[in-house]
Every structure is written in structure tokens, then in C-alpha cells.
Amino acid sequence: MPPAAPSAPPSATSSAPSSGTASAAPPTAAVPAAERVYRHVKQAVLVDRRYEGGTLLTEGELADAVGVSRTPVREALLRLETEGLLKLYPKKGALVLPVSAQEIADVIETRLLVEEFTVRRAVPAPPGLLERLAELLEEQRRHAAGGDLAAMMASDRGFHAEIVRSAGNAILCRLYDQLRDRQLRMGVALLHAHPERAERSIAEHAEILDALRAGDAETAAAAVRGHVGRVEALVRGSGR
């Protein structure tokens, strides 16, 4: 009987990171300092909400928080400014930009244009898409039950992104991906302000999935329109 093949070393096998906000990350020492600062600030602004809109961040505070020098802090802040999350003020720091009414309107309008079009294009939906959407819907239920609103929001966005990707339009996919951070920031804030919204959002996603399973493009588009419209009303403070 031949000897058993030696097992692979632990470093040779690793699971791929999930699409949620928490994923397997390389050791801190392997991540460049500027990238660590970038991730720290982004997590605090978009998910943890430790840095609310209107907060002034200083290079010294961030350097101490992450354990780096000020040079990579400046690099990270410049990157975050180009993404529209911060406004830099020389010798003062970086202001976390609040979500403006115009930004809300722009994001919602873009979402409707992209999502209504792509959900129609998704019909007839291939089995693989339906299976993936069902998985993401179950993830949302699990995260909501566990009270992990940030993870639920990541699965929520993943649900819509899968439909957008199914259209096969690379330009639309890139456009939709550019909304990711803004959607996450608005969505997490919304769920914290209206925790009851989690259950309703899951039900609305189920309606979209049911329409896709039925091959009904117009019902699917109407479900998307109603879902995004209710999100807009809540973000603006005029819905439930």
C-alpha cells in the first residue's frame, strides 16, 4: 500500500473572504501603513459610525489610533477626499462630510435608473442567479436576527448588485459599484434609526425574488421601485 500523500501546509489552504464588511485580512504587518489608516477611517465612517458627519479628524489623532507616522495618514486622507468622504483643511485636519440632501437624491435617482433597467434584463432569470439571491436573502435574515446591521446591509447591497451584474453591462456595473460606500453609509444609519426596517426590507427583497422566479419583469421592476422609494422616504425622514 503506497504511503499517504503529505497534507498541504496550513498556509497553502485559505478560504476566500466573504463579500460582507468583515473578511479575512492579512496580518497587520503585511498591510501598508497608509492602507491601514484608510481602512480604519472608512470603517469608522461607513460602518461603526464612530466618525459622524461634521467630525474633524487630525493627523496626530489618527496616527496614534492606528499606530503609524503622520506621512501615511496624509496619504490615506487624500485618498478618502477623492472618494468624497472627507474634506481636507491644511494645518487643521480632515472634516467628515455629512450626507447631504443632494447626495441622497443623486444616489436614489441613480439606483432607480440602474436597478429598474437591470432587473428587467434579468428576466428570464438563470437558475444560478435565483440561487445566489436566495442565499443572500437568507444571509440577511441571519444577520438581522443576530443584530448585525452592518453585515445585513452588506448582504442587502450584495442582493441588488447580483441583479445588476446579471445584466452583463460592465459600464453599469462600474457605475453601480461607485455607489457602494454611499449606499452602505446611508443604509447602516437608516437601520440604526429604524431597526424595524430590517424585517420590512427582507420582505421587499423576497417580493423581488418571487417576481424574478415567476418571470414577471414588470412586477420585479415595480417591486424594486417601491423598495428604493421607501428607502428614500425613510432617509429623508418622511416614511416608515
Side-chain angles (χ1 to χ4, degrees), residues 75-213:
E75 182 181 335
L77 293 180
L78 284 169
R79 182 178 171 189
L80 289 160
E81 184 179 45
T82 63
E83 294 181 6
L85 290 180
L86 307 175
K87 172 66 177 176
L88 298 186
Y89 292 92
K91 299 183 180 180
K92 291 183 179 180
L95 184 70
V96 178
L97 295 177
V99 179
S100 67
Q102 186 60 53
E103 182 178 357
I104 293 170
D106 291 348
V107 169
I108 294 297
E109 184 175 43
T110 306
R111 282 193 63 184
L112 284 172
L113 286 170
V114 174
E115 292 186 35
E116 282 194 60
F117 172 79
T118 54
V119 82
R120 286 190 175 96
R121 285 284 297 270
V123 177
L129 174 62
L130 297 176
E131 290 171 10
R132 180 58 183 148
L133 294 179
E135 290 172 359
L136 287 165
L137 191 57
E138 187 55 37
E139 278 185 21
Q140 291 168 56
R141 293 191 178 103
R142 186 170 65 254
H143 292 316
D148 191 341
L149 300 183
M152 183 199 159
M153 192 60 219
S155 295
D156 178 305
R157 187 197 170 278
F159 182 94
H160 292 280
E162 287 290 339
I163 296 173
V164 172
R165 280 194 289 269
S166 74
N169 186 316
I171 294 175
L172 279 183
C173 286
R174 284 196 295 272
L175 173 62
Y176 194 76
D177 282 344
Q178 290 172 9
L179 302 179
R180 178 183 56 204
D181 291 344
R182 289 173 171 81
Q183 286 190 58
L184 182 59
R185 188 180 185 189
M186 292 178 191
V188 171
L190 177 63
L191 289 177
H192 277 281
H194 303 275
E196 74 284 353
R197 174 62 193 164
E199 183 177 346
R200 182 57 193 155
S201 180
I202 290 169
E204 290 166 4
H205 286 161
E207 291 170 5
I208 297 169
L209 179 54
D210 287 344
L212 288 173
R213 282 174 172 152

